[in-house]
Amino acid sequence: MALTETTIRRLPAPTKPVLISDPATIGLYLRCYPTGRKTWLYRTRKGGEGWKTQNLGVWPSVGMAQARAKAAALGTTVLPESVTFGQLLDEWYQHRIEPNYKQTKNARVYVTKGKTWLGHQKLSQITTTQLVQRLQTYAKKYPVAANRCLSAWKLALDFAVEVGYLTANPLARTTTRAAGGTEKTRARVLTDDELRWVLRLDHHYGPLLRALLIAGLRISEAQAATTDHLDGDTWLVEENKSARPHWVAVVPMLKKQFGDFDGKLFDGRSPTAVQAWLKRNGPGFTPHDLRRTFATRLAGLGVAPHVVEKCLNHQMQGVMATYNRHDYEAERRAAAKAWANELKRINGKDRTPT
């Protein structure tokens, strides 16, 4: 039967509910009830076994043309019930991670893990227990990574709720106590002797490590730097974790560390290679401990906390995040000079960094 507004109006009330298909639109049906009520439905087998049904509204509030438009739109999309955990992770990554972060490698790792372990599991059927058990197994060998994975999956499942794939996040109340591993907070700040070790290090990684100490940058940020990022006494840090604009004051001590390695400022392109070498040969600190030392020592020199945060390119908190847009350039440059002078003092009057 060809469905039109006229034929629908003339349909008699059936003795039991009946389903009438619309030949003009794939998947569109009109369900008629003995009470005279008529409801539009979209039905499909796409995405799994059995029929998937979605209510499109009651006729005549939703007319023929509107019902056909809704059905046609659904025909080009995936129904929420058929979305898998793997599809969700990919969609979350494409919409929330790639467009907003320059450093996406870590998030991609946890997307891949999820797809490998539970990728074919229907999102509507996945349980908290399944997710937690996977994370617990991961945490036995990689406790810190399991914690990061939990955070990533939580965000992805929040996204699923936002777009209507789920009504609740199955990991909403799950913490690292249940699904992650015990993670020790590092509080490593270098001693004066260790600072002298860095300042006098005669190795091709020396300039990179000294630059991290002097500028307070992450190792990936320094390794991405090129000669094009230098603008007089300013180093533009374009590749940074937060994707916010950042710069570093280039004091003479820092400038001495720069080289030109096919356009890069530093030798040693792989963070893991530098970290492995430092673990074998250093006095027991990591590249990130240099950044923590930078922040701690600046505070010890009397640099105001908000200036230290700006030097680290951290997000301002509370009201300051909304209303304080000042760059504190003069204060940051003064802090850089004070820190360089302190490093010279620690290194000794007759010694300058290699």
Side-chain angles (χ1 to χ4, degrees):
M1 175 193 301
L3 289 180
T4 66
E5 293 289 348
T6 301
T7 57
I8 293 172
R9 189 177 299 110
R10 291 177 177 174
L11 285 173
T15 56
K16 62 180 181 179
V18 296
L19 201 61
I20 303 172
S21 66
D22 175 24
T25 310
I26 296 175
L28 181 62
Y29 293 81
L30 184 70
R31 186 183 293 277
C32 302
Y33 296 88
T35 59
R37 178 184 173 88
K38 300 178 178 70
T39 303
W40 294 110
L41 301 175
Y42 176 75
R43 303 175 78 225
T44 182
R45 291 184 183 272
K46 185 169 60 175
E49 306 82 6
W51 285 100
K52 304 291 187 298
T53 303
Q54 188 159 329
N55 193 311
L56 303 182
V58 178
W59 182 90
S61 297
V62 176
M64 178 88 256
Q66 188 178 359
R68 284 175 172 168
K70 286 185 175 183
L74 287 171
T76 62
T77 62
V78 178
L79 289 181
E81 311 90 79
S82 65
V83 176
T84 65
F85 187 51
Q87 289 172 327
L88 166 71
L89 291 172
D90 277 338
E91 189 173 338
W92 167 72
Y93 181 85
Q94 291 164 7
H95 286 82
R96 292 294 171 82
I97 302 302
E98 276 190 325
N100 299 311
Y101 298 92
K102 289 188 176 181
Q103 302 294 333
T104 61
K105 182 172 64 176
N106 288 343
R108 185 75 250 178
V109 168
Y110 305 130
V111 166
T112 302
K113 293 288 185 187
K115 291 173 66 177
T116 300
W117 295 331
L118 296 165
H120 296 295
Q121 180 73 38
K122 292 289 181 59
L123 194 58
S124 58
Q125 299 172 0
I126 205 163
T127 66
T128 303
T129 301
Q130 286 177 303
L131 294 165
V132 169
Q133 286 178 345
R134 273 296 175 184
L135 289 166
Q136 287 174 335
T137 300
Y138 191 23
K140 289 177 182 177
K141 193 171 183 180
Y142 303 105
V144 176
N147 292 343
R148 304 295 180 270
C149 191
L150 170 62
S151 297
W153 289 3
K154 269 190 175 183
L155 291 173
L157 291 164
D158 279 341
F159 174 76
V161 175
E162 289 180 42
V163 299
Y165 293 157
L166 291 174
T167 57
N169 181 343
L171 287 178
R173 300 186 64 183
T174 302
T175 68
T176 56
R177 289 176 298 178
T182 302
E183 186 173 341
K184 295 180 180 179
T185 301
R186 286 189 66 88
R188 187 79 156 78
V189 175
L190 274 65
T191 65
D192 284 4
D193 284 341
E194 290 169 334
L195 290 175
R196 280 188 283 271
W197 185 89
V198 176
L199 294 170
R200 300 173 185 181
L201 178 62
D202 184 14
H203 187 274
H204 63 274
Y205 289 157
L208 172 62
L209 295 174
R210 282 189 287 274
L212 300 181
L213 176 64
I214 299 165
L217 292 175
R218 299 176 179 88
I219 188 170
S220 60
E221 296 169 343
Q223 288 179 312
T226 69
T227 54
D228 292 337
H229 294 153
L230 298 179
D231 184 9
D233 61 354
T234 301
W235 173 2
L236 304 174
V237 187
E238 294 190 356
E239 297 289 334
N240 64 77
K241 181 180 179 181
S242 64
R244 290 186 294 270
H246 187 44
W247 59 268
V248 168
V250 179
V251 294
M253 179 184 286
L254 179 57
K255 190 173 183 179
K256 288 180 181 179
Q257 313 309 320
F258 297 155
D260 189 346
F261 302 89
D262 296 327
K264 295 284 188 178
L265 292 182
F266 302 103
D267 193 10
R269 309 290 176 80
S270 167
T272 54
V274 177
Q275 291 165 351
W277 180 88
L278 193 58
K279 186 174 183 179
R280 292 193 306 270
N281 300 282
F285 63 83
T286 69
H288 202 74
D289 292 334
L290 297 171
R291 177 173 164 87
R292 186 182 301 105
T293 299
F294 166 87
T296 303
R297 293 289 186 129
L298 280 189
L301 292 173
V303 178
H306 60 276
V307 177
V308 176
E309 293 297 288
K310 276 291 187 180
C311 290
L312 294 170
N313 197 25
H314 282 170
Q315 176 69 50
M316 296 292 238
Q317 300 299 313
V319 174
M320 291 188 77
T322 304
Y323 296 107
N324 190 345
R325 302 298 181 182
H326 186 49
D327 199 36
Y328 297 99
E329 179 177 0
E331 293 87 343
R332 289 162 70 179
R333 291 192 182 278
K337 291 178 181 178
W339 176 226
N341 288 335
E342 176 66 3
L343 288 173
K344 289 178 183 177
R345 182 196 67 77
I346 292 169
N347 198 35
K349 292 182 179 180
D350 300 328
R351 297 292 296 267
T352 57
T354 302

